């Protein structure tokens, strides 16, 4: 290592941009206040929701773990005949501060903080999305990280399954009752995004009587509270129900990925220029074109926010 553990502790943070490797789990454990003589397990439990994780990012007898070329996703699969495959059904990880080992004889390198993605995972594979590139620590067990914006196109959808904090939800509910809709970036630490989305989604879906405003779908598993002005664009309206529309998952994806727009008057427009040569997609999107949004009980979508979304290029 070109830098000592003591120097890292004094600095109090580690970024994926740092050219630092670690020979053993024990070195990493010291950053988080653990004084081990030896450690071989795959994880170190830091709190109820967070582990330090030491994945082998190369094929081995137990796991086939793969880090995406961009470093933003880890896919974890049990190897055939591996002795730990049963853990796929009995264990769940939420946030993992990840130190990956890329070769059998190599050292461990900080890869970022990753979060379990339930929508892309199954009993046969786990998928983790990177949510932070820097982690902080004090050497006494204190740790933290600042979440980045979730993957484009899965912002609200993924956030609705993110970990929550019941005390935060209660606090956010009070803010909305008082007409205060801001969630400042400095507040966005672990579990904030999921808790804010839970508050927002409950208000928005209840406002639409748990029905997609475009398709009329009422099955809860297929509904998303979709931000009009995206979460990443304006902290001041992140909890504002007039900045939300209840949509089915397909409509939300089309809206989020730029295949569908909604005019300030509340009319859907398919953006055919973005749709490529996929005839099945064309057929499904055609059913969504030129539809007037169902009117909610309260908090109708703000025309200025719809106009602003178009101006932002979404």
């Amino acid at each position: 290592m070109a830098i000592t553990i003591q120097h890292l502790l004094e600095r109090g943070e580690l970024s994926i941009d740092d050219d630092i490797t670690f020979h053993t789990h024990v070195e990493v454990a010291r950053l988080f206040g653990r004084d081990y003589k030896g450690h071989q397990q795959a994880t170190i439990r830091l709190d109820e929701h967070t582990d330090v994780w030491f994945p082998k990012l190369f094929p081995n007898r137990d796991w086939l773990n793969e880090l995406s070329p961009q470093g933003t996703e880890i896919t974890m699969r049990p190897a055939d005949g591996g002795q730990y495959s049963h853990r796929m059904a009995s264990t769940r990880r939420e946030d993992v501060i990840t130190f990956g080992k890329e070769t059998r004889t190599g050292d461990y390198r900080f890869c970022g903080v990753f979060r379990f993605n339930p929508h892309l995972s199954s009993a046969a594979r786990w998928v983790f999305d990177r949510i932070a590139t820097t982690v902080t620590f004090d050497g006494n067990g204190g740790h933290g990280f600042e979440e980045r914006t979730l993957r484009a196109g899965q912002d609200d959808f993924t956030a609705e399954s993110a970990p929550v904090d019941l005390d935060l939800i209660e606090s956010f509910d009070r803010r909305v009752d008082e007409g205060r809709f801001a969630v400042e970036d400095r507040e966005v630490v672990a579990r904030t995004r999921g808790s804010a989305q839970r508050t927002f989604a409950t208000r928005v879906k209840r406002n639409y009587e748990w029905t997609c405003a475009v398709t009329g779908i009422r099955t809860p598993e297929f509904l998303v509270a979709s931000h009009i002005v995206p979460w990443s664009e304006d902290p001041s309206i992140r909890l504002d129900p007039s900045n939300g529309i209840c949509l089915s998952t397909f409509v939300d994806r089309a809206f989020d990925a730029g295949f569908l727009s909604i005019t300030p008057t509340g009319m859907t427009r398919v953006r055919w220029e973005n749709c490529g040569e996929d005839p099945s997609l064309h057929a499904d999107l055609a059913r969504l074109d030129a539809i007037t949004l169902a009117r909610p009980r309260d908090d109708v979508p703000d025309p200025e926010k719809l106009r602003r979304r178009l101006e932002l290029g979404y």
Side-chain angles (χ1 to χ4, degrees):
M1 249 174 30
I3 193 170
T4 67
I5 297 296
Q6 186 58 41
H7 183 87
L8 283 175
L9 288 170
E10 291 171 0
R11 191 173 73 174
E13 71 173 27
L14 178 64
S15 167
I16 63 172
D17 294 327
D18 295 323
D19 186 20
I20 300 171
T21 59
F22 302 83
H23 297 302
T24 67
H25 296 195
V26 172
E27 292 177 337
V28 175
R30 283 189 57 197
L31 302 177
F32 300 95
R34 308 300 172 87
D35 187 14
Y36 296 143
K37 295 186 182 301
H39 187 274
Q40 295 296 323
Q41 296 180 10
T43 60
I44 298 172
R45 192 69 163 168
L46 296 183
D47 59 34
E48 183 182 358
H49 310 289
T50 312
D51 294 335
V52 176
W53 185 28
F54 301 95
K56 297 175 181 177
L57 299 175
F58 56 88
N60 58 87
R61 66 181 182 181
D62 293 315
W63 299 104
L64 303 175
N65 299 326
E66 183 178 356
L67 179 67
S68 67
Q70 297 79 20
T72 56
E73 182 180 277
I74 295 176
T75 303
M76 177 182 180
R77 295 183 179 88
D80 292 339
Q83 59 179 319
Y84 300 113
S85 60
H86 64 281
R87 294 185 179 176
M88 299 293 286
S90 61
T91 307
R92 275 292 180 268
R93 294 174 184 153
E94 292 184 17
D95 296 340
V96 283
I97 301 171
T98 303
F99 293 80
K101 187 173 185 176
E102 297 178 346
T103 64
R104 193 174 302 277
T105 58
D107 291 336
Y108 296 93
R109 185 180 298 276
F110 177 58
C111 302
V113 184
F114 290 75
R115 175 166 293 163
F116 180 72
N117 186 328
H119 300 296
L120 299 181
S121 300
S122 67
R125 71 170 188 173
W126 288 350
V127 177
F128 297 84
D129 291 325
R130 193 174 69 196
I131 60 170
T133 57
T134 300
V135 63
T136 60
F137 40 78
D138 61 9
N140 295 311
H143 61 275
F145 51 87
E146 181 178 349
E147 296 179 33
R148 304 304 186 203
T149 303
L150 294 174
R151 185 190 315 190
Q154 291 187 318
D155 190 22
D156 297 316
F157 181 56
T158 301
E160 291 200 12
S161 294
V164 300
D165 182 301
L166 296 180
D167 290 335
L168 277 176
I169 291 174
E170 184 177 347
S171 173
F172 290 145
D173 276 333
R174 286 196 300 270
R175 291 190 198 183
V176 177
D177 289 339
E178 295 167 0
R180 297 186 296 121
F181 306 128
V183 181
E184 300 296 341
D185 285 335
R186 65 176 179 273
E187 299 180 74
V188 181
V189 294
R191 311 180 74 75
T192 306
R193 180 66 174 97
S195 302
Q197 183 70 18
R198 179 74 60 85
T199 298
F200 177 77
T202 299
R203 301 283 178 137
V204 171
K205 292 177 183 179
R206 189 167 58 207
N207 195 28
Y208 283 87
E209 298 183 335
W210 296 85
T211 304
C212 172
V214 176
T215 65
I217 287 174
R218 300 179 60 89
T219 303
E221 290 82 357
F222 289 87
L223 298 178
V224 181
S226 187
H227 281 80
I228 297 171
V229 176
W231 167 278
S232 60
E233 295 290 347
D234 191 342
S236 71
I237 53 174
R238 286 171 170 170
L239 298 175
D240 186 350
S242 75
N243 189 39
I245 306 171
C246 182
L247 300 175
S248 70
T249 51
F250 179 75
V251 179
D252 172 70
R253 181 64 177 130
F255 187 49
D256 220 21
F259 294 93
L260 184 75
S261 62
I262 299 175
T263 70
T265 60
M267 177 75 72
T268 62
R269 295 293 184 207
V270 173
R271 298 166 72 174
W272 295 111
E273 67 276 13
N274 294 339
C275 296
E277 301 296 328
D278 187 337
S280 295
L281 178 63
H282 277 238
D284 284 340
L285 288 174
R287 301 186 184 97
L288 308 180
D289 198 21
I291 293 175
T292 300
L293 296 183
R295 188 175 180 84
R297 295 185 308 180
D298 305 296
D299 297 311
V300 298
D302 185 343
E304 288 305 313
K305 294 182 177 67
L306 287 165
R307 184 174 293 108
R308 183 177 172 191
R309 181 185 180 92
L310 293 173
E311 292 171 352
L312 287 168
Y314 286 91

